[in-house]
Amino acid sequence: MNCNLFALSNYNYQQDKSAREDHIRLNNVLCGQPDRHVFESILEEKRTGIADKEIFKPKQEICQQFAAIMSGRLSDMLSAVPDAKKRFSIEEAAEIFRYIITEVLDISEQGWIVEIQKGGTNASVIPSKKIIRLPEKRNRGEFTNIDLRLLIVHEIGVHVTRSISLPDVPLRALHTGLPGYEIFEERLAKIVEQGVCGEYIHLGYMRYLSIGFGFFYDMPFREIYETQLELWGKDDVTKSVVFDSVQRALRGTGEFPNCKDLAYYNGYDKAWSFIESNIHNPRIIE
């Protein structure tokens, strides 16, 4: 029997439907669901340029004060990136990461390593294994100078630093992350990126929309991708960023959204609110 016919003859629709429903239910329990009002407000702002006053935005003076703090706090790490060099390969980026954990943070003897993940497309930190992973390939190609600086402050300046900040505390969860830490920490990492840039940017909008289109309108991959291009633009760089957001939103299923990337939007107000409340307390901010 033809392999395709054999597969069709043994296909159990009810079993497949049940698996889909279980996946969606568990994903919603673990990662939450997009908020309809937030989704529609972001969509309306992208279409008209008119922002919803209910969508949180930090005060400009707080952004400027935080940028000044971050510039000083992370200067040792960022000095590892040569100012004159414009682009970096994955291998060059990995060497700079290794230099930082060895010479700047001095944590390589604790077991921390940097590796290039074969087939990977995104950078990540695994505190439980003390691994910093860089992707073998990037949709946007080599790192620009600012790309690499932002990646350093995101992965090492926030994720690694949080994990190593309490070395003598025996509670393992404080090193690997307490339940739900991703929402605040991912947003904090993005805020620190803004501190380095000195510019406030609406982060998480694109990913929130990609998830929302799938969640509320059952759009498949191509339809979400084309809708997002109409909103964000069609130059080569934007196409790559949009593709990445849709790919992450559907996580390989091509059909229904994984809500994990809501973390890049949710908690944003929590992180900025914390900074705003403690901006004049350097001990807490640092």
Side-chain angles (χ1 to χ4, degrees):
M1 179 184 292
N2 179 280
C3 289
N4 290 333
L5 291 176
F6 178 79
L8 286 172
S9 67
N10 285 275
Y11 178 73
N12 186 322
Y13 174 77
Q14 289 301 324
Q15 187 177 34
D16 179 68
K17 182 181 179 182
S18 177
R20 287 162 54 90
E21 291 173 349
D22 285 344
H23 174 93
I24 294 172
R25 177 179 58 80
L26 291 172
N27 181 250
N28 291 342
V29 169
L30 291 171
C31 305
Q33 300 178 4
D35 180 276
R36 185 86 189 218
H37 173 72
V38 171
F39 169 76
E40 291 178 350
S41 295
I42 294 172
L43 182 58
E44 184 66 15
E45 182 175 342
K46 283 303 299 178
R47 285 174 170 168
T48 66
I50 300 173
D52 188 328
K53 292 182 179 179
E54 293 183 23
I55 300 298
F56 176 82
K57 294 178 183 177
K59 297 174 183 177
Q60 184 60 33
E61 59 267 28
I62 299 299
C63 296
Q64 292 171 349
Q65 291 177 54
F66 188 65
I69 293 171
M70 286 299 99
S71 295
R73 176 72 175 80
L74 301 168
S75 59
D76 287 347
M77 292 184 193
L78 296 176
S79 65
V81 182
D83 291 331
K85 190 171 174 60
K86 302 301 182 184
R87 306 191 73 83
F88 299 83
S89 67
I90 296 296
E91 291 75 18
E92 290 172 325
E95 283 305 307
I96 290 174
F97 268 65
R98 292 186 184 106
Y99 172 83
I100 293 172
I101 67 169
T102 303
E103 302 297 331
V104 179
L105 296 181
D106 192 21
I107 58 173
S108 58
E109 291 186 1
Q110 297 177 24
W112 281 90
I113 63 170
V114 177
E115 66 177 27
I116 298 174
Q117 184 181 17
K118 188 175 182 180
T121 57
N122 297 290
S124 62
V125 172
I126 308 174
S128 60
K129 297 182 179 179
K130 298 183 178 180
I131 295 175
I132 304 170
R133 283 181 176 164
L134 299 183
E136 181 183 40
K137 296 180 180 179
R138 294 181 78 233
N139 290 332
R140 286 172 278 176
E142 291 187 329
F143 294 101
T144 64
N145 194 291
I146 188 62
D147 284 342
L148 184 55
R149 290 172 183 271
L150 296 184
L151 190 66
I152 287 169
V153 301
H154 186 118
E155 304 299 344
I156 301 181
V158 175
H159 295 318
V160 173
T161 299
R162 191 269 308 156
S163 180
I164 66 173
S165 61
L166 299 169
D168 299 321
V169 176
L171 184 60
R172 184 174 174 80
L174 293 179
H175 301 275
T176 58
L178 295 167
Y181 81 97
E182 297 98 334
I183 291 177
F184 181 85
E185 193 165 298
E186 280 299 336
R187 183 50 52 203
L188 180 60
K190 287 296 183 181
I191 289 172
V192 172
E193 287 184 24
Q194 290 187 28
V196 171
C197 290
E199 178 184 3
Y200 172 70
I201 306 168
H202 300 302
L203 295 169
Y205 277 21
M206 184 184 291
R207 291 180 181 180
Y208 205 103
L209 290 178
S210 290
I211 293 170
F213 284 130
F215 190 90
F216 295 118
Y217 295 102
D218 295 321
M219 288 186 182
F221 189 104
R222 178 172 288 279
E223 191 174 355
I224 297 175
Y225 177 69
E226 292 176 349
T227 302
Q228 288 278 52
L229 288 181
E230 293 298 324
L231 292 171
W232 298 91
K234 298 182 179 181
D235 61 273
D236 290 342
V237 173
T238 302
K239 283 182 178 180
S240 176
V241 176
V242 168
F243 184 90
D244 180 65
S245 84
V246 182
Q247 184 181 53
R248 291 173 64 95
L250 300 183
R251 301 279 172 166
T253 67
E255 298 179 38
F256 45 87
N258 183 312
C259 296
K260 185 176 186 297
D261 277 3
L262 292 178
Y264 286 90
Y265 179 91
N266 296 334
Y268 198 26
D269 54 342
K270 295 178 184 178
W272 271 113
S273 178
F274 177 86
I275 290 168
E276 193 168 58
S277 298
N278 295 281
I279 194 68
H280 298 298
N281 189 334
R283 185 182 64 83
I284 292 178
I285 292 295
E286 293 185 10

